[in-house]
Amino acid sequence: QLQLQESGPGLVKPSETLSLTCTVSGGSISSGSYYWGWIRQPPGKGLEWIGSFQYSGNTYYNPSLKSRVTISVDTSKNQFSLRLSSVTAADTAVYYCARPGFCGGTSCYMRSWFDPWGQGTLVTVSS
Amino acid sequence: EIVLTQSPGTLSLSPGERATLSCRASQSVSSSYLAWYQQKPGQAPRLLIYGASSRATGIPDRFSGSGSGTDFTLTISRLEPEDFAVYYCQQYGTSPLTFGPGTKVDIK
């Protein structure tokens, strides 16, 4: 059974870089053509897609965050990471990693629903 | 960017009643690429429906989705106590992927 788990600092100072890691178990990031993604949810608010990537190299970001976001992968640890630079209080949120599930034949698609999700990790931006 | 609007914001119902939740898109969602999620406090969203009407694995048949174009509906035929939660729609027909603001279903 595929499981995802987010980890990283719960507190980041304004103007600094937020860094989170998603550890995948029960499946390999580098197998198949699956995408892997990040989504966030400010406290008491709705969900926002941050970006998705495929091991083969395709990476897509939400244009609203694109200038500040980098998603990378460490296949040796079966992990992928999120870096968000120049954070402000508006970046305070629960950050989720999740796997886009839309696949057909041997291909998978970035434009997809998400299933499964990690449990999420709260990151607060404050001095 | 496709903006999704959900209504009502809050739906107050009793167990056993039928719930009808609406999701409206600012432009047509291609190929009915719309999903629904359930979220309970402190938990990650749980996929219920994809492709506007296909139930995800393990989802009870009291949950059903319908619609196309710009208007989509999630129906819960008979509310169970565990169904009181917030429900989000998400479109994946066009990038960026976007979510609606949610509908809270609470106990009347």
Side-chain angles (χ1 to χ4, degrees):
Chain A
Q1 180 185 358
L2 188 71
Q3 292 186 313
L4 295 83
Q5 176 71 58
E6 306 87 351
S7 59
L11 181 64
V12 180
K13 290 182 168 54
S15 80
E16 295 190 344
T17 296
L18 176 160
S19 295
L20 295 174
T21 296
C22 180
T23 300
V24 177
S25 58
S28 172
I29 287 177
S30 58
S31 68
S33 59
Y34 285 110
Y35 279 84
W36 305 86
W38 287 98
I39 298 130
R40 70 179 183 177
Q41 184 174 35
K45 297 187 178 180
L47 299 154
E48 179 180 34
W49 171 68
I50 299 171
S52 300
F53 84 99
Q54 191 179 44
Y55 173 69
S56 61
N58 297 318
T59 305
Y60 300 88
Y61 299 126
N62 191 322
S64 67
L65 297 168
K66 186 175 182 178
S67 63
R68 299 194 291 132
V69 173
T70 303
I71 297 176
S72 58
V73 61
D74 184 341
T75 54
S76 66
K77 296 180 180 178
N78 214 33
Q79 296 174 336
F80 61 100
S81 298
L82 171 71
R83 288 174 58 85
L84 180 66
S85 64
S86 305
V87 298
T88 69
D91 296 310
T92 294
V94 175
Y95 286 77
Y96 295 100
C97 55
R99 191 183 73 178
F102 191 7
C103 298
T106 58
S107 299
C108 293
Y109 308 101
M110 178 279 289
R111 290 184 285 122
S112 172
W113 63 85
F114 293 92
D115 182 49
W117 297 58
Q119 67 183 32
T121 187
L122 174 63
V123 179
T124 301
V125 179
S126 175
S127 55
Chain B
E1 169 175 323
I2 294 181
V3 176
L4 299 177
T5 303
Q6 292 187 243
S7 61
T10 302
L11 194 54
S12 297
L13 295 169
S14 301
E17 290 193 293
R18 181 184 187 92
T20 303
L21 287 66
S22 173
C23 177
R24 178 163 291 179
S26 60
Q27 55 189 279
S28 184
V29 177
S30 61
S31 304
S32 295
Y33 284 167
L34 189 109
W36 290 93
Y37 300 86
Q38 176 193 70
Q39 187 178 36
K40 297 179 181 179
Q43 297 184 15
R46 172 195 181 197
L47 178 69
L48 299 175
I49 301 285
Y50 61 92
S53 60
S54 297
R55 271 188 302 275
T57 302
I59 301 303
D61 61 7
R62 64 180 181 273
F63 291 91
S64 63
S66 63
S68 63
T70 60
D71 290 300
F72 298 86
T73 300
L74 175 70
T75 301
I76 310 171
S77 59
R78 295 171 310 279
L79 282 164
E80 297 288 340
E82 62 267 28
D83 299 336
F84 292 93
V86 179
Y87 292 83
Y88 294 95
C89 57
Q90 178 224 337
Q91 68 81 23
Y92 54 95
T94 303
S95 185
L97 312 179
T98 52
F99 293 83
T103 289
K104 183 178 183 180
V105 179
D106 66 13
I107 300 177
K108 187 174 182 180

